Amino acid sequence: TKKISIVIDKDIIVFNNSLGDVIALNINNGNLRWITTTADKDSSVKPFLLKLSELVINDNSVLFSNNNNSFYSINLETGFTNWTQNISSYLKPVIINQLIFTITTKGYLVVINEPTGNIIRITDVFDKFKAKKRNKIKPVGFIVGKDNLLITTDNGKLLAINVSTGKTKSILKIDNSKISKPFISNKNLYLVKDNLIIKLK
């Protein structure tokens, strides 16, 4: 099932739909502010295969990506596109100090300058996996800490990536199947597997 992402900033509510449209409404009266279509109609990716990341608002911009090789920054007030990048990702981007962090569907960590859209660095974080295995592995989610970026995969692995270098520091096997994205609470790391919650210190 496809999940609709909704974000609110002041008097604007912004959400997406399964066709790749991003819609902004006035939160007080429901009036339409703008609609921006992001899906390529000529793409080989059919609408039912399109996966969208969650929306993120930062400095009057709406940021998101999809698995159709498109990462967008859209002006929150007008709906006009600030910039785009050819990045395929359905994971929620993380913004820290004007740097955008995202993980592609193929396992690359991409760092982008938020105001300009320029790519600062691309690092292969799945480089420790053998070629035959890595083609079947997909990232599930990630979080960014002061020193490390933690990524979970659909084959039950937890990867620790050095934020400064983008290099993979360690790979921990949690399970043989899909685990949730990482969550941190009270300095503890939590993962969800089926009906099981896994706590790591």
Side-chain angles (χ1 to χ4, degrees), residues 80-116:
F80 294 147
T81 301
N82 297 321
W83 52 260
T84 61
Q85 277 289 356
N86 294 326
I87 297 170
S88 182
S89 175
Y90 46 77
L91 302 184
K92 181 180 179 180
V94 174
I95 298 93
I96 299 176
N97 297 328
Q98 294 192 327
L99 294 179
I100 302 171
F101 295 84
T102 189
I103 307 293
T104 73
T105 55
K106 299 295 185 181
Y108 289 87
L109 166 63
V110 183
V111 182
I112 309 169
N113 179 273
E114 195 276 332
T116 66

Side-chain angles (χ1 to χ4, degrees), residues 90-91 101-110 123-127 129 137-145 148-163 166-174 179-183 189 191 200:
Y90 46 77
L91 302 184
F101 295 84
T102 189
I103 307 293
T104 73
T105 55
K106 299 295 185 181
Y108 289 87
L109 166 63
V110 183
T123 311
D124 184 2
V125 296
F126 281 7
D127 61 332
F129 296 112
I137 299 171
K138 299 296 181 184
V140 174
F142 71 99
I143 55 174
V144 182
N148 296 320
L149 184 150
L150 300 177
I151 307 170
T152 52
T153 67
D154 63 352
N155 68 337
K157 302 295 193 301
L158 175 67
L159 284 67
I161 312 298
N162 185 291
V163 171
K167 299 295 183 181
T168 303
K169 295 171 60 177
S170 65
I171 300 176
L172 179 64
K173 180 179 178 180
I174 304 296
I179 54 177
S180 73
K181 66 174 288 185
F183 300 92
L189 177 67
L191 304 167
L200 300 174

